């Protein structure tokens, strides 16, 4: 009874639970990444926009989200926010996978807030004379951003963005508080159903570690092949 | 080392005490004594508790059952208040004749003591909104069902309705909130918790309903010393008589019925079996 039962992880019902949780965690992370990255870029540009109103929107977004724990975001987007929707829309949503949808919204906003700060730092590291020169040559603000500043800035931003992706991957585990059956949720389920907590959490740890190391590896690879050049 | 020696000493001392003094029959002894010693918890409303702090009298469902047994024997009832963990030892050592102490009848305990017919049967149940139109468990197939993470409820609802989509939360208030918001059609918990949640709903409680079906059952019974068939038969006869005369129904209504805090709409069991699952 006290020995480590590997067979539990290799096949059978508990294996299926854990693998489905793992798959859902990966799905959550990927969907979030795909939506959060462009949103982060938008917010970063907003924060550097020439118009004060746009800059204010960017600041409010980042500070409002970054200063609240992810757990609170999860609970808010699941228990709080959908309640203000009109009744028919709410009923429609609640019949579907509102748990996963709320988790993705919370993760997207949280990740985008952090990523936008990294991107903004990247942009600010490009000497401001480049923007001035571009504008002097007749580029619009967006044109200068798109053609001159961002191509250089994003390259600098890749390592911190990979680090944020690593955080995102680990943060998917918080979705279990709103009943999303991701990896941590399933590990707990296996533990309570089989009392084999050691095995199930070993699986979860291994799975998180594997993906995290893969992300770290990607970061190292990128750094090696595209070293940061001083502007 | 010290501890080991101490334990040996205690074990040695205990072996000198005769474990069970020879006696003919507990039923005869009780009649001869003219007194039935009944062990109750006294802290478990409405099974046994102190209702009126001035008189400090113990009352409740369990107490009434003790009364019925004493009356049938024509003896005086003495109530003894016991701690939960002291129940079985007190009975085994003969300091009480009968346990009426919210005692769950289970297989493990059958090795130690005997049980009467089940005096209270409760279990895990399902709470739904009335407007969902759900009245039977099989209607939950394919629907979202909310419960508490890591509980036996999850496993039991999965067993009862394999296709239900079970969504579990860290605690029962969260699961209950999700039901109120309509994020699932049903909420599973043990009946006492459901009734507690129910009472917190206030006026909107009328929109909710607890389905009568039990997902799992827990049998409470009176505990008796092992190997006293005459006394056990007497106790069971009293319980069967209570059932036959409708007195059992009255007792239930008095402590659990619609006018009490527990607000059970009806009695979901009868005093008729000592079988457990």
């Amino acid at each position: 009874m006290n020995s480590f039962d590997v067979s539990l992880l290799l096949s059978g019902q508990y294996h299926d639970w854990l693998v489905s949780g793992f798959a859902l965690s990966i799905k959550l992370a990927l969907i979030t990444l795909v939506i959060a990255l462009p949103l982060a870029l938008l917010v970063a540009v907003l924060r550097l926009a020439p118009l004060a109103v746009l800059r204010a929107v960017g600041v409010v977004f980042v500070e409002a989200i970054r200063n609240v724990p992810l757990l609170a975001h999860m609970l808010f987007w699941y228990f709080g926010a959908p309640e203000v929707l009109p009744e028919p829309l709410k009923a429609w949503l609640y019949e579907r996978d509102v748990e996963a949808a709320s988790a993705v919204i919370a993760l997207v906003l949280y990740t985008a807030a952090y990523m936008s700060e990294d991107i903004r730092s990247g942009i600010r590291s490009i000497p401001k004379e480049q923007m001035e020169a571009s504008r002097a040559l007749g580029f619009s603000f967006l044109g200068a951003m798109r053609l001159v500043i961002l191509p250089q800035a994003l390259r600098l931003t890749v390592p911190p963005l990979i680090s944020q992706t690593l955080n995102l991957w680990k943060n998917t585990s918080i979705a279990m508080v709103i009943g999303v059956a991701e990896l941590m949720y399933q590990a707990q389920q296996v533990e309570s159903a089989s009392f084999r907590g050691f095995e199930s959490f070993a699986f979860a740890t291994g799975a998180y570690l594997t993906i995290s190391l893969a992300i770290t590896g990607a970061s190292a690879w990128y750094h090696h092949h595209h070293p940061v050049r001083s502007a | 080392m010290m501890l080991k020696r101490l334990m040996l000493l205690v074990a040695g001392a205990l072996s000198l005490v005769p474990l069970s003094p020879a006696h003919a029959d507990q039923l005869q002894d009780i009649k001869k004594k003219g007194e039935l010693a009944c062990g109750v918890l006294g802290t478990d409303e409405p099974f046994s508790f102190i209702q009126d702090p001035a008189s400090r009298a113990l009352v409740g469902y369990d107490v009434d059952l003790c009364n019925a047994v004493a009356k049938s024997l024509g003896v005086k009832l003495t109530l003894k208040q016991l701690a939960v963990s002291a129940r079985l030892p007190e009975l085994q050592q003969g300091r009480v004749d009968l346990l009426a102490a919210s005692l769950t009848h289970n297989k493990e305990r059958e090795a130690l003591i005997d049980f009467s017919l089940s005096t209270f049967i409760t279990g895990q149940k399902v709470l739904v909104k009335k407007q969902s139109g759900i009245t039977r468990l099989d209607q939950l197939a394919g629907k979202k069902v909310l419960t508490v993470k890591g509980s036996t409820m999850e496993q039991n609802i999965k067993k009862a309705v394999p296709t239900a989509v079970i969504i579990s939360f860290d605690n029962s208030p969260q699961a209950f909130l999700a039901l109120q918001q309509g994020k699932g059609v049903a909420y599973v918990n043990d009946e006492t918790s459901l009734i507690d949640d129910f009472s917190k709903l206030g006026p909107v409680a009328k929109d909710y309903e607890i389905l009568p079906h039990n997902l799992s059952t827990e049998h409470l019974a009176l505990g008796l010393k092992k190997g006293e068939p005459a006394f056990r038969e007497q106790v069971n006869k009293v319980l069967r008589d209570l059932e036959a005369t409708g007195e059992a129904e009255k007792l239930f209504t008095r402590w659990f019925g619609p006018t009490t805090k527990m607000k059970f709409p009806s009695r979901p069991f009868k005093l008729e079996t000592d079988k457990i699952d």
Side-chain angles (χ1 to χ4, degrees), chain B residues 111-277:
Chain B
L112 304 169
I113 60 170
D114 281 342
F115 288 93
S116 70
L117 302 179
S118 298
T119 54
F120 198 90
I121 303 176
T122 180
Q124 292 166 353
K125 294 207 166 178
V126 177
L127 181 69
V128 296
K129 276 189 185 165
K130 276 185 188 158
Q131 61 170 43
S132 69
I134 289 172
T135 53
R136 296 188 323 269
L137 279 185
D138 56 8
Q139 290 173 296
L140 297 175
K143 299 253 169 58
K144 283 202 209 173
V145 177
L146 313 155
T147 189
V148 183
K149 217 177 284 169
S151 63
T152 51
M153 277 95 77
E154 281 182 321
Q155 293 152 39
N156 290 331
I157 184 75
K158 193 94 209 164
K159 241 177 265 163
V161 192
T163 58
V165 181
I166 295 150
I167 298 167
S168 306
F169 298 87
D170 286 343
N171 53 45
S172 47
Q174 282 181 348
F176 186 44
L177 178 60
L179 174 80
Q180 287 172 283
Q181 294 185 337
K183 290 186 171 103
V185 294
Y187 160 48
V188 186
N189 209 330
D190 66 78
E191 196 168 14
T192 8
S193 305
L194 287 183
I195 287 169
D196 189 39
D197 290 335
F198 212 78
S199 66
K200 285 178 193 145
L201 280 170
V204 294
K206 64 177 187 343
D207 300 333
Y208 292 81
E209 196 167 35
I210 296 176
L211 300 187
H213 188 92
N214 274 328
L215 287 177
S216 77
T217 44
E218 191 176 357
H219 292 243
L220 305 187
L222 304 180
L224 304 109
K225 200 167 181 174
K226 234 180 161 32
E228 295 291 346
F231 183 44
R232 180 158 176 260
E233 193 32 58
Q234 174 68 23
V235 170
N236 282 345
K237 184 181 170 296
V238 170
L239 295 175
R240 273 192 291 264
D241 286 351
L242 288 176
E243 189 61 59
T245 56
E247 198 60 35
E249 187 71 37
K250 273 189 219 156
L251 268 185
F252 183 89
T253 311
R254 179 171 174 205
W255 298 111
F256 299 93
T259 57
T260 65
K261 266 189 214 163
M262 301 303 288
K263 291 195 175 37
F264 276 69
S266 67
R267 191 166 62 132
F269 61 90
K270 284 196 159 48
L271 309 184
E272 60 187 2
T273 179
D274 60 356
K275 297 280 172 287
I276 52 168
D277 305 325

Side-chain angles (χ1 to χ4, degrees), chain A residues 8 35 53 74 90 112-113 120-121 133 142 179 187 199 213 226 229:
Chain A
L8 177 123
I35 308 174
V53 184
M74 285 281 172
K90 203 162 78 175
R120 186 168 71 106
S121 303
L142 285 180
E199 285 85 348
L213 287 177
H226 304 277
R229 290 179 298 202

Side-chain angles (χ1 to χ4, degrees), chain A:
Chain A
M1 186 63 200
N2 286 323
S3 62
F4 190 92
D5 183 6
V6 187
S7 66
L8 177 123
L9 303 179
L10 298 179
S11 62
Q13 179 190 210
Y14 301 135
H15 164 85
D16 295 345
W17 290 6
L18 289 168
V19 169
S20 79
F22 188 32
L24 184 58
S25 287
I26 292 178
K27 221 186 281 176
L28 277 179
L30 283 178
I31 294 173
T32 303
L33 187 62
V34 166
I35 308 174
L37 213 46
L39 181 63
L41 190 58
L42 175 75
V43 173
V45 173
L46 274 181
R47 289 204 68 172
L48 297 165
L51 269 176
V53 184
L54 295 180
R55 286 201 298 274
V57 170
V59 171
V60 168
F61 176 87
V62 170
E63 298 308 334
I65 288 171
R66 215 168 44 152
N67 291 303
V68 174
L70 179 57
L71 179 64
H73 279 284
M74 285 281 172
L75 295 173
F76 172 75
W77 288 105
Y78 182 67
F79 283 113
E83 283 297 295
V84 300
L85 295 174
E87 201 56 51
L89 184 59
K90 203 162 78 175
W92 179 87
L93 182 66
Y94 286 178
E95 270 174 33
R96 277 151 191 83
D97 199 351
V98 59
E99 290 77 26
S102 309
V104 166
I105 292 173
L107 283 170
V108 160
L109 295 178
Y110 195 76
T111 308
Y114 278 93
M115 284 185 162
S116 76
E117 287 297 271
D118 288 338
I119 295 172
R120 186 168 71 106
S121 303
I123 295 171
R124 278 155 51 95
S125 73
I126 307 298
K128 68 176 191 302
E129 289 78 10
Q130 290 203 22
M131 175 56 97
E132 289 165 3
S134 313
R135 298 303 298 269
L137 286 170
F139 285 103
S140 66
F141 172 77
L142 285 180
M145 268 291 175
R146 189 166 63 85
L147 296 166
V148 180
I149 311 292
L150 285 179
Q152 302 176 73
L154 288 182
R155 184 168 185 168
L156 294 173
T157 315
V158 168
L161 286 186
I162 289 180
S163 165
Q164 289 302 348
T165 309
L166 191 66
N167 282 338
L168 162 63
W169 165 241
K170 291 180 291 181
N171 283 341
T172 56
S173 63
I174 308 236
M176 77 167 177
V177 298
I178 54 171
V180 178
E182 46 67 71
L183 184 53
M184 279 305 273
Y185 180 101
Q186 296 290 20
Q188 267 193 7
Q189 296 303 90
V190 171
E191 183 188 33
S192 64
S194 66
F195 298 104
R196 307 306 302 232
F198 197 67
E199 285 85 348
S200 68
F201 284 105
F203 181 96
T205 308
Y208 282 115
L209 198 61
T210 307
I211 299 292
S212 297
L213 287 177
I215 295 171
T216 310
S219 169
W221 178 88
Y222 180 87
H223 207 72
H224 183 73
H225 288 270
H226 304 277
V228 173
R229 290 179 298 202
S230 50

